[in-house]
Every structure is written in structure tokens, then in C-alpha cells.
Amino acid sequence: MSRIVAIDFGLKRVGLAVTDSLGMFATALDTVARKEVRSYLKKYHQKHTISAFVIGDPRTLANQPSSVAGAIAAFRRE
């Protein structure tokens, strides 16, 4: 069964969570340095089937893009 990986992107560290194989429950996976997240996810994908990635889109209280929105967009494009 496949899993969904959730990504909480930060400028220094990235938080990762993953669903169980049935996609019913999500639990914390790890927190990794921003520069290491791609290699970490590649290694994780070698062991587990991933059906989707969900990347958080933080907003301000005024519902405007947060200060990390540009970095998240660049991460998404890569």
C-alpha cells in the first residue's frame, strides 16, 4: 500500500509526517535540515511507496502568503 507524505517546510528545517499504509492515520516521521530533505525523501521512497506529497501553505492572520511562501514555491518547482 502507498503512503502520503506531508511536508512542513521551514527555512532551516523541514518537518515530515506520513500516513500509515492504509492512509488513515498520520504520524510524525522526522525533522531534517532543509538541504537534506530531498535525499531523505529519496531514501524513504526506496523503502516505501509514496502516492502523494502534501506541502503546507502557511498564511498570515490576514490570509496573506507568509514570509516563506517564495521559498516554498521554489521547493515545489524543484
Side-chain angles (χ1 to χ4, degrees), residues 1 6 16 19 22 25 28 32-33 39 51 64 71 77:
M1 292 270 187
L16 301 171
T19 63
L22 297 176
F25 301 100
V32 296
S39 63
S51 61
Q64 299 298 314
R77 282 190 300 271

Side-chain angles (χ1 to χ4, degrees), residues 56-70 72:
D57 185 23
R59 312 289 282 184
T60 66
L61 291 176
N63 199 28
Q64 299 298 314
S66 71
S67 59
V68 297
I72 292 171

Side-chain angles (χ1 to χ4, degrees), residues 12-70:
K12 294 183 180 181
R13 289 176 294 284
V14 177
L16 301 171
V18 65
T19 63
D20 63 326
S21 60
L22 297 176
M24 296 179 66
F25 301 100
T27 56
L29 178 61
D30 210 340
T31 302
V32 296
R34 178 181 173 191
K35 62 184 177 182
E36 298 170 6
V37 69
R38 280 189 175 57
S39 63
Y40 183 95
L41 290 173
K42 286 179 184 179
K43 289 176 187 175
Y44 185 81
H45 184 54
Q46 290 173 349
K47 297 178 184 177
H48 305 280
T49 303
I50 299 172
S51 61
F53 292 96
V54 178
I55 303 174
D57 185 23
R59 312 289 282 184
T60 66
L61 291 176
N63 199 28
Q64 299 298 314
S66 71
S67 59
V68 297

